[in-house]
Amino acid sequence: MTLRSHTHGYRAAVLAVSMVVLTSCGANAPASNDDVAPISAPTTTSEGSSTSTPAEEILGGDTFVSPEDADRSDVDSTARVAALMLHSWDTTVDRTETAAAVRATPLMSEEWAANQVEPERNASNGDWLEPAEHAAYSVPRAVPAIGDAAQDVADDKAIRVLDVTWRWVARDDTPLEGTGQRQVTLYLEKVDGQWDVVGHQTRDLTAAVGGQR
C-alpha cells in the first residue's frame, strides 16, 4: 500500500527501524487478554426494544473492536485498535479485506481515509473460501513487535509496529484450522490532541497455515 506524500518525513525513522521490523516475529510475543476482541454474550438487546438479535447475525458475532474503543489521546491505544480493526473480517458481509480498512477510517486522517477503496476482487479470495462456506469471522489479536520498532519521531508524529495474528470462528461451530500472521506498521500524527493514522503498511509473516495466511 502506498503511503501519502505527507508521510515521507518518516523515512529516516523507518530506515532506522527497518532491520528490527524485518527480524521481529510476533509468534513468540505473549498476548494479554486486552489484545483480543472478547467473545460476547449469545444475544444483544436493542435499547427500548423487547426483542433481541442473535450475536451470530451481528458483524463479527458482536466481537469486533470499534473506533470508540480507542483512546485517541494515546498513540498506543489508537495504533492497537487500528491494527485489530484492519484484520477484523466477517465473510457474511465483507467482499474484500479492504472492507475492514473502510470500517477503520474514523481512526484515520481524511486524506488517508480517502485511500481506503475496495478493489474489484479480494486478493485473499482463496484463503477465504473455507471460512466463507461456514459464515466465519476473524478473531485477531495484536501485540507490539519485538525490538525497538516503535518510534516517537516528534511530539506529534509516531510510528508503531504490531504483530497481528488471527483465527477464524465459524458460525456453524465447524472447527477451522486456518490462521494468519502479519506485521502492520502504522504512521500516526497528533492533531488537536487526537492521534490519527496517516498511513499504514502490512506484510505477511508466515506462509499459509491450514489454507489461510
Side-chain angles (χ1 to χ4, degrees), residues 73-93:
S73 66
D74 182 79
V75 63
D76 293 306
S77 174
T78 303
R80 187 183 70 85
V81 172
L84 289 171
M85 291 192 68
L86 289 170
H87 296 85
S88 296
W89 305 296
D90 190 327
T91 61
T92 65
V93 295

Side-chain angles (χ1 to χ4, degrees), residues 43-54:
T43 61
T44 181
T45 303
S46 301
E47 184 176 353
S49 172
S50 60
T51 61
S52 61
T53 302

Side-chain angles (χ1 to χ4, degrees), residues 13-34:
V14 173
L15 290 174
V17 302
S18 60
M19 292 304 296
V20 175
V21 173
L22 291 174
T23 56
S24 65
C25 177
N28 297 322
S32 66
N33 291 334
D34 291 338

Side-chain angles (χ1 to χ4, degrees), residues 4 101-102 105 108-118 197:
R4 65 176 181 141
V102 173
T105 53
M108 303 177 186
S109 64
E110 289 186 10
E111 186 172 347
W112 189 241
N115 281 275
Q116 311 312 311
V117 180
E118 288 199 70
V197 176

Side-chain angles (χ1 to χ4, degrees), residues 103-180:
R103 286 193 291 270
T105 53
L107 298 177
M108 303 177 186
S109 64
E110 289 186 10
E111 186 172 347
W112 189 241
N115 281 275
Q116 311 312 311
V117 180
E118 288 199 70
E120 289 298 320
R121 63 183 300 273
N122 190 2
S124 299
N125 185 57
D127 295 334
W128 280 32
L129 288 178
E130 184 179 11
E133 289 177 358
H134 302 282
Y137 53 88
S138 64
V139 178
R141 64 178 65 209
V143 296
I146 297 174
D148 299 325
Q151 291 288 313
D152 293 322
V153 181
D155 289 341
D156 60 348
K157 294 179 176 63
I159 300 172
R160 292 295 183 265
V161 184
L162 295 98
D163 290 336
V164 181
T165 59
W166 68 89
R167 60 185 176 88
W168 291 99
V169 172
R171 284 185 168 85
D172 61 6
D173 296 326
T174 298
L176 297 177
E177 296 181 356
T179 61

